[in-house]
Amino acid sequence: MTDIGEAGRALRSGRTTSRTLTEASLAAATALDGELAAFVALDPDGALEAADDADAAIAAGRDLGPLMGVPVAIKDIVDVAGLPTRCGSPAYPATPAATDATLVRRLRRGGAVIVGKTTTHELACGVYSPPVSNPWDLGRIPGGSSGGSGAAVAAGIVPMAIGSDTGGSIRIPASLCGTVGLKATYGRVSRSGVAALAWSLDHLGPLTSTVEGCAASLEVLAGSDPLDPSASSRPVPQYSSGLDRGVDGLRIGVLGGAPLEPMQPDVAETFAASADLLGGQGAAMVGVDVPELEHGLAVEFGIVAPEAGAYHRELVRSRPDQIDPGIRTLLVAGLMLEPEHYFKALEARRAIAEALRMAFVRNRLDALITPTLPATAAPKDADDFWFGDAAEPVTLAYVRTTGPFNLSGLPALSVPAGFDRDGLPIGLQVAAAPFDEETALRVGACFEAAAGIQARRPPIHASG
Amino acid sequence: MPVVGDAAPGDPVEQTAARMRALGLDHEVLDPAATHADLAERIAQSVSLDALVSDSGGLDPTAFDSSWPTADTE
């Protein structure tokens, strides 16, 4: 059972039990681990105990929410009491975390069953997530840094896994693995108990098999937190309730120009078809250019380097040999650069956020769509994409379409949109105004229903 | 051109190495020459942002402008 809504209905009608779902999830995680390497730790005892608690609650007529009894997984930069938080790094200790992160507490309170922790790219700083494989093609990367979460959901091991997103780390694996992924508004989901990469860009959120499951997950995850001053105290809407409203009457921007070009032809074709599909559902589609986004990568890495360098400074000083050389270079730069460069990047970030706001205001937009990424899943050994005669590093190519929504803090959803000529997934990104996740999810749900591709499963899947 | 604000004369790579030592970054896997080249590239990226920041205003990533429209408010 690979969907939260379907699992919830089956649990409440007595057609299955949380123990049955959890045992199947644990079995699939184990059976597929040799091919996918999506998990770094499983917690069968804790998961089955939580499953039995959920079954008892259901039997007693209690309803803890949409994730009650549903198996989920947590990216291994998030503290889960009793399990180590290794951050994909040999430098992090195997000592179990003493307490749960706030979002884990929320999940437990909502009756979710945590089956284990998923593989992350080292220090949540990269898009390859080795040794994880993409369920659609084992020779391809799953994306990152939440690569294990993307692979686990795409392969049907769990219907939801937590990811983090500093420059695209939820939406990149969602797009490459063919799942839904949501980076909610900055501050919508607490970051307390989660290792940072760059605190002013870090977001948490779910990767799920459906938009309905994504909405249900956000209802559980979102909310204020005294342990995280950046967590918003705005009320949390019932995100699931408006998913069937369609897009008739909405104005949806279609981003062009920077930062989309260059992109693979199959991606361009799918993006154009996606815009047509939404237009056919009644939305007014409006072409939008935001030239300031050309600077997005310079701003993104101008902020990530000093914030990540500061966060990891003791590690860089004491054990730099235990850090991947590429990440090490970034962290050292962050410690070496004069503060003026960081402050300039923060100012430039504000300019980009304002440019996006003005694009919404001037065009009276409800949402803005882009291809989630300009390319599909890269081979594991590829350093660059080739767009015609021009090479571009894989990491930069992916982050240039997702990063602007970390800089602006806007909610951004990735939803499966199609497949390239090699059968690899292509994602559609739907951004909306601050704290208007409802509209992003509403557009995503309409698109998902109209596109009708969510039933297509990868060759490596729990269903065999 | 000095890379990290050190006005002392001499080999720029040695200046970078001196700054690395001062910051406790003198481990054998940390290469001053490579660091110097990387910093120069990042500073060039930073310079490219000059035109963007002239009138950008505040710095707070949580300070969303209240004039944002939404589907429910329009």
Side-chain angles (χ1 to χ4, degrees), chain A residues 236-420:
Chain A
V236 177
Q238 290 292 308
Y239 296 108
S240 302
S241 64
L243 295 178
D244 57 355
R245 292 164 65 190
V247 296
D248 191 18
L250 295 186
R251 288 176 63 84
I252 300 177
V254 182
L255 189 67
L260 305 189
E261 298 295 342
M263 63 178 139
Q264 292 174 340
D266 291 353
V267 173
E269 190 176 310
T270 297
F271 181 51
S274 300
D276 288 345
L277 190 63
L278 286 169
Q281 298 296 308
M285 308 305 290
V286 183
V288 173
D289 278 316
V290 184
E292 290 84 351
L293 299 184
E294 181 185 344
H295 300 282
L297 284 172
V299 180
E300 172 81 20
F301 288 98
I303 294 172
V304 170
E307 292 190 2
Y311 185 78
H312 291 295
R313 63 182 175 275
E314 289 310 315
L315 174 61
V316 180
R317 285 173 175 148
S318 61
R319 289 166 291 162
D321 53 319
Q322 293 187 18
I323 309 171
D324 169 83
I327 299 171
R328 189 167 65 213
T329 298
L330 176 83
L331 301 180
V332 168
L335 290 171
M336 296 280 292
L337 286 166
E338 296 292 349
E340 69 185 74
H341 301 293
Y342 176 53
F343 295 137
K344 189 195 292 183
L346 290 176
E347 285 190 63
R349 171 228 198 111
R350 195 71 191 159
I352 283 176
E354 177 62 11
L356 279 167
R357 188 183 75 84
M358 289 309 298
F360 271 75
V361 170
R362 286 184 179 141
N363 295 289
R364 294 180 289 114
L365 300 181
D366 300 298
L368 176 67
I369 62 169
T370 81
T372 305
L373 304 172
T376 53
K380 286 182 171 179
D381 60 355
D383 293 324
D384 298 310
F385 284 117
W386 284 90
F387 298 103
D389 294 334
E392 181 178 21
V394 168
T395 301
L396 300 186
Y398 288 154
V399 174
R400 70 175 148 86
T401 46
T402 51
F405 302 103
N406 297 82
L407 296 172
S408 61
L410 302 184
L413 174 79
S414 182
V415 59
F419 296 87
D420 72 2

